[in-house]
Amino acid sequence: PGRGGSGGGGDGNEDHESRRPREVGGVLRTYNELQVVSQRNLQRWGLSSEAEYFERRAQHQAEKEAMDAYVRDPKTASEDKHHAISAYHMVNGRSFNNCDKCWLLKGCCICHLLSTSSTRPHRVVVYMHHTEYGRGNSTGNLIRESLGGEILVSGHRDHEAALRALCEREKGRIAVMWPGDDAMDARDIA
């Protein structure tokens, strides 16, 4: 059989049956919705059931809609909007199925492989855009987990205040690191 066949060698009825909508958690789910929550994906996400996925997705969607309504309100000040977006991303990240520490899918978590090194006497602080927070491909969290650093999120009131206080306190002793042709080697900073 081709890619679209049932591959089961039967008369094809089992494939037709699997494409029928069915009820999960009291809600009739479409074939496309059910495809998303395959056993393989549930395992990757660290979820035990389809119902758990749909419950978490509904909660995530409700929180996003509330944040969107707050941000769209013309009476809301721009700083308040940025804070609300940052706070939302810090709670929800990019996916509600990611590990809280390494930010990869729970079934692909690498936390057990990470070890912590001390950067004493230096302090490592990652200043991160809110859309980077919680992304599995963001390495800022790995700095936090492996070097004992901390993450400050752009737009979050408490984090902006902490960054300002850090810059005031450590004036003249701060190095901004980035990968670039004109960047200095970290070993050259003494």
Side-chain angles (χ1 to χ4, degrees):
R3 291 180 68 170
S6 68
D11 61 5
N13 285 337
E14 60 278 352
D15 187 49
H16 178 70
E17 287 298 314
S18 69
R19 290 178 179 257
R20 291 187 127 168
R22 68 181 157 84
E23 193 174 300
V24 176
V27 177
L28 189 62
R29 300 293 178 180
T30 67
Y31 169 69
N32 288 339
E33 287 178 306
L34 293 170
Q35 268 191 314
V36 171
V37 292
S38 67
Q39 282 303 107
R40 183 176 180 194
N41 283 343
L42 289 173
Q43 184 179 8
R44 283 182 187 152
W45 298 331
L47 300 176
S48 60
S49 68
E50 295 167 336
E52 182 181 6
Y53 167 82
F54 288 117
E55 182 180 310
R56 292 187 73 190
R57 188 179 83 170
Q59 178 184 355
H60 182 78
Q61 188 62 32
E63 291 171 3
K64 182 168 184 356
E65 288 171 4
M67 187 267 305
D68 286 344
Y70 180 75
V71 169
R72 281 193 304 267
D73 185 346
K75 297 175 188 166
T76 305
S78 61
E79 307 84 44
D80 295 337
K81 291 178 182 184
H82 197 180
H83 174 76
I85 293 168
S86 296
Y88 169 82
H89 278 282
M90 290 179 65
V91 171
N92 293 294
R94 295 297 273 193
S95 172
F96 56 86
N97 300 313
N98 289 7
C99 170
D100 292 333
K101 287 189 173 187
C102 70
W103 297 344
L104 294 173
L105 292 173
K106 289 179 183 174
C108 303
C109 175
I110 60 167
C111 289
H112 64 284
L113 300 173
L114 299 176
S115 61
T116 304
S117 300
S118 175
T119 58
R120 300 262 182 243
H122 305 289
R123 179 177 174 191
V124 178
V125 178
V126 177
Y127 185 59
M128 178 180 288
H129 192 271
H130 63 264
T131 59
E132 286 294 310
Y133 193 91
R135 290 180 66 158
N137 64 350
S138 176
T139 56
N141 65 313
L142 296 179
I143 291 170
R144 176 188 63 190
E145 294 301 319
S146 61
L147 297 179
E150 67 181 289
I151 294 176
L152 298 177
V153 178
S154 167
H156 192 281
R157 282 188 198 106
D158 297 342
H159 291 210
E160 293 289 349
L163 182 62
R164 279 192 299 279
L166 175 67
C167 290
E168 291 288 323
R169 191 174 55 252
E170 302 295 334
K171 200 170 201 163
R173 298 177 22 165
I174 296 175
V176 177
M177 298 170 52
W178 74 94
D181 295 336
D182 56 344
M184 294 174 56
D185 190 297
R187 293 171 288 209
D188 296 336
I189 302 171

